[in-house]
Amino acid sequence: MEAGVLRVWGRANSVNVQKVLWCCEELDLRFERLEAGLQHGVVDTPDYRAMNPNGRVPTLVDGEVTLWESNSIMRYLALRQMEARAVTRGLYPEGAAARAGVERWLDWVLSTLQPAERNLFWGMIRTAPEVRDMAAIAASAKASGEAWRILDAHLAHGRPYVEGEAFTLADIALGAYARRWFGVEVASRPDLPRFKEWYERIGRRPGFGKHVAAPLT
Ligand SMILES: N[C@@H](CCC(=O)N[C@@H](CS)C(=O)NCC(=O)O)C(=O)O
């Protein structure tokens, strides 16, 4: 392992790992990714649990700093670069109101969006067709559509990015989940034109192409 390089533990097909990798890319941060989670195991070993007692991915190691929770890792990385006066490109705005605008979406992803979409993603992508719980999948598709409708209405104010003119951590957290929404088969997908436009816009970012765009597995 190269000294001084950020280490990100976690399999590349985890949405929460993808957020962190995309964030590193936006901040021009070099990192090394180490496999952990699901088929790779590792997360139940005492060494891993010492870094992350949840046994989940991602985990970030930056010298003496060890962190878990993907949104907190993104906040840390953005602040770290701001403190170092490295490029920030407005990823994590400084004013109270502007920052809170970003924070609410990071919280909303955890509290509302992820629980809504979980059965849809796991059912359609990680479960064999013959054992799928189609009722749970349909309920999850409906709840996800309702959640995305909230973002679509928010984007109706003509903003290119979730919190206005600048691309922020909110776009990363939401964008990684939007990739899943547009990548699964949904029986009836609500028409959400602003959400789709925004998704196409963020989909052109190199960090998305490199770490999020891959086929869902
Ligand atoms: N809220 C946590 C969730 C962490 C989480 O549940 N990660 C999933 C992958 S997206 C996981 O570790 N799954 C079990 C595994 O990969 O072994 C975060 O955002 O980091």
Side-chain angles (χ1 to χ4, degrees):
M1 280 173 223
E2 211 180 321
V5 171
L6 297 174
R7 254 176 283 156
V8 180
W9 289 89
R11 54 193 166 81
N13 66 346
S14 146
V15 65
N16 291 309
V17 172
Q18 291 175 348
K19 287 193 251 173
V20 170
L21 304 185
W22 183 3
C23 182
C24 285
E25 213 66 47
E26 295 285 345
L27 291 165
D28 295 322
L29 281 167
R30 282 179 57 221
F31 63 87
E32 182 181 16
R33 188 180 63 78
L34 298 108
E35 292 293 9
L38 289 186
Q39 74 273 24
H40 304 286
V42 180
V43 295
D44 287 326
T45 61
D47 284 354
Y48 190 86
R49 290 280 170 148
M51 296 189 294
N52 184 342
N54 306 288
R56 316 291 290 181
V57 295
T59 300
L60 174 81
V61 181
D62 176 20
E64 299 298 301
V65 178
T66 301
L67 261 185
W68 36 268
E69 281 297 331
S70 57
N71 290 350
S72 297
I73 294 171
M74 293 202 296
R75 292 176 173 108
Y76 165 74
L77 293 174
L79 284 172
R80 172 197 197 271
Q81 292 311 87
M82 285 157 84
E83 283 172 10
R85 303 206 184 281
V87 65
T88 65
R89 297 195 207 109
L91 213 56
Y92 196 39
E94 282 184 273
R99 180 161 296 177
V102 172
E103 300 289 16
R104 66 174 157 183
W105 291 108
L106 297 181
D107 291 339
W108 186 80
V109 165
L110 296 181
S111 66
T112 304
L113 184 64
Q114 195 275 333
E117 69 90 59
R118 189 178 190 283
N119 286 341
L120 173 63
F121 176 78
W122 271 83
M124 295 303 290
I125 303 295
R126 295 193 180 150
T127 307
E130 60 279 11
V131 291
R132 281 180 189 153
D133 178 346
M134 292 314 292
I137 289 171
S140 175
K142 185 166 180 290
S144 303
E146 282 163 12
W148 289 124
R149 191 182 296 287
I150 291 171
L151 179 61
D152 185 73
H154 177 77
L155 291 165
H157 301 283
R159 26 171 88 97
Y161 297 108
V162 172
E163 277 306 304
E165 294 303 313
F167 178 89
T168 68
L169 296 185
D171 295 280
I172 298 181
L174 289 160
Y177 278 92
R179 163 59 195 114
R180 289 162 57 131
W181 170 251
F182 287 108
V184 291
E185 241 177 80
V186 175
S188 93
R189 203 182 287 277
D191 184 32
L192 304 172
R194 283 148 318 222
F195 170 49
K196 193 155 181 289
E197 254 173 53
W198 162 82
Y199 179 66
E200 284 163 4
R201 185 173 302 118
I202 58 155
R204 292 193 285 269
R205 298 184 82 88
F208 179 98
K210 250 173 154 168
H211 301 297
V212 186
L216 301 175
T217 55

